[in-house]
Amino acid sequence: MKQEEILARLPYSPPFLFVDELLSIDENGCTGTYTYSPELDFYKGHFKDHPVTPGVILTETMAQIGLVCLGIFLTGEVASGSSSHVMLTSTAIDFVKPVFPGEKVTVIAEKVYFRFKKLHCNVQMQNKEGEVVCKGTISGMVTTKLNG
């Protein structure tokens, strides 16, 4: 399955799409990027005069790249004619550095297990300097249904 096919299957659209590109993906994990536009609405009030990307948005970015994209790949939905939905079930994220408007981040996800429709991954987000800005674990349930 090609990265473009996976991105086309994501159940998000702007302004809630936090994946620009997938750099790599296989049965063990994936890597992708996103650049936070300074025009995103949440920067207007978080924090006044010193905007910082909220932790919940960083977590969502890691979930979209490291859980949903990987879940679509692992279920092989493009080839099978089905569609996957990945529902976030748990997170444990440590935030180390702030992410500012205009920053490009890279998310690296490593599959811990995928069984009984549950996907569990170790994830980390890095800034353009390769510094870890947040890391942790993320899990979700993958459901599939046949299209047609």
Side-chain angles (χ1 to χ4, degrees), residues 29 32 69 119:
C69 288
L119 177 58

Side-chain angles (χ1 to χ4, degrees), residues 56-76:
V56 68
I57 299 296
L58 300 177
T59 301
E60 180 65 26
T61 304
M62 290 189 291
Q64 288 187 18
I65 294 172
L67 197 67
V68 180
C69 288
L70 186 56
I72 291 169
F73 177 83
L74 292 173
T75 60

Side-chain angles (χ1 to χ4, degrees), residues 11-65:
Y12 314 104
S13 62
F16 207 75
L17 175 64
F18 299 111
V19 184
D20 287 334
E21 63 181 332
L22 283 177
L23 302 175
S24 66
I25 192 163
D26 63 26
E27 64 278 353
N28 296 310
C30 66
T31 302
T33 65
Y34 183 71
T35 301
Y36 294 99
S37 168
E39 304 307 313
L40 290 166
D41 275 346
F42 53 77
Y43 286 126
K44 293 176 185 169
H46 191 266
F47 292 92
K48 190 166 55 173
D49 300 325
H50 300 289
V52 176
T53 308
V56 68
I57 299 296
L58 300 177
T59 301
E60 180 65 26
T61 304
M62 290 189 291
Q64 288 187 18
I65 294 172

Side-chain angles (χ1 to χ4, degrees), residues 38 66 82 89 112 127 129 133:
S82 63
T89 58
V112 176
N127 60 21
E129 289 81 24
V133 297

